[in-house]
Amino acid sequence: WNLIRNVQFSTGLDYQRGADSGTRAGDSYDQVSGDLAFRYQFLPKVLALLSYRHTFKNSDTASRDYSQNVVTFGLEYRF
């Protein structure tokens, strides 16, 4: 989405249900992730990127549950 000139906004939502077969007892899990990203074009071929992603994993094995936050900042150059 381009709500502001030279600024791009995007969102995402992911769901994953799976099983890890590498453990003796096996482990099934549900994982949900959501993200927001902003890109600002400050030169014709250069953009700045700021994104945030939150992931939550709920597992049959309590010690394998987790919640994760990731913030990313970067620069993109387009040829």
Side-chain angles (χ1 to χ4, degrees):
W1 302 331
N2 291 337
L3 301 175
I4 303 170
R5 186 176 177 206
N6 296 334
V7 176
Q8 300 169 3
F9 171 71
S10 61
T11 62
L13 182 64
D14 300 313
Y15 172 77
Q16 186 176 26
R17 181 166 180 83
D20 291 330
S21 59
T23 60
R24 272 188 275 160
D27 181 36
S28 60
Y29 63 87
D30 295 298
Q31 182 172 306
V32 178
S33 298
D35 60 77
L36 299 169
F38 294 92
R39 286 180 171 85
Y40 174 68
Q41 184 171 359
F42 59 93
L43 293 173
K45 294 186 176 188
V46 181
L47 294 93
L49 164 71
L50 178 63
S51 67
Y52 169 77
R53 182 172 185 85
H54 178 77
T55 301
F56 176 74
K57 182 178 179 183
N58 184 16
S59 174
D60 286 346
T61 307
S63 64
R64 301 187 96 181
D65 290 351
Y66 67 83
S67 180
Q68 180 183 48
N69 294 294
V70 177
V71 176
T72 304
F73 175 76
L75 295 174
E76 295 180 11
Y77 180 82
R78 297 187 179 180
F79 295 95

